[in-house]
Amino acid sequence: MTPQHPAYSDPSTVTSIARKTYAETLKQADGLSRLGFGDPNKAVEKIWKLSTLDKPPQHFPLGRDAVNFLKDKGEELIKAAEAYESWSADL
């Protein structure tokens, strides 16, 4: 972790508290997974595999959280398109 700038080192600030919590979590054996991070080595393998595709996707969700986020966002966009589809009928 990058050293904290002295101007922001007051231990009562939200950023100082967050940095301390983050650092303490990383010290634990399962720190990265507890923060929601997966295995970076596996991620690199997938990115490399992606780079070898003839037609790689424009968007590539990496990790379950990203997949779920994009699925939810996709459903939200479809609902908005369906709700206001009639507004475009006579343009």
Side-chain angles (χ1 to χ4, degrees), residues 5-91:
H5 189 279
Y8 305 102
S9 62
D10 179 349
S12 67
T13 64
V14 173
T15 53
S16 290
I17 295 168
R19 287 175 63 89
K20 181 180 176 189
T21 302
Y22 180 76
E24 289 171 357
T25 303
L26 285 179
K27 288 179 187 175
Q28 298 173 13
D30 63 344
L32 286 176
S33 64
R34 290 183 70 213
L35 291 172
F37 297 107
D39 184 335
N41 294 321
K42 289 180 182 178
V44 169
E45 289 177 15
K46 298 300 182 186
I47 293 168
W48 176 256
K49 185 175 179 179
L50 176 73
S51 74
T52 64
L53 297 176
D54 290 335
K55 295 183 178 182
Q58 183 176 4
H59 301 284
F60 180 64
L62 191 58
R64 288 187 196 124
D65 56 337
V67 170
N68 290 334
F69 173 80
L70 288 181
K71 284 182 175 182
D72 291 346
K73 187 65 177 176
E75 290 173 7
E76 180 184 322
L77 291 171
I78 289 170
K79 287 178 185 176
E82 290 172 347
Y84 297 101
E85 180 178 12
S86 63
W87 292 26
S88 297
D90 61 346
L91 297 179

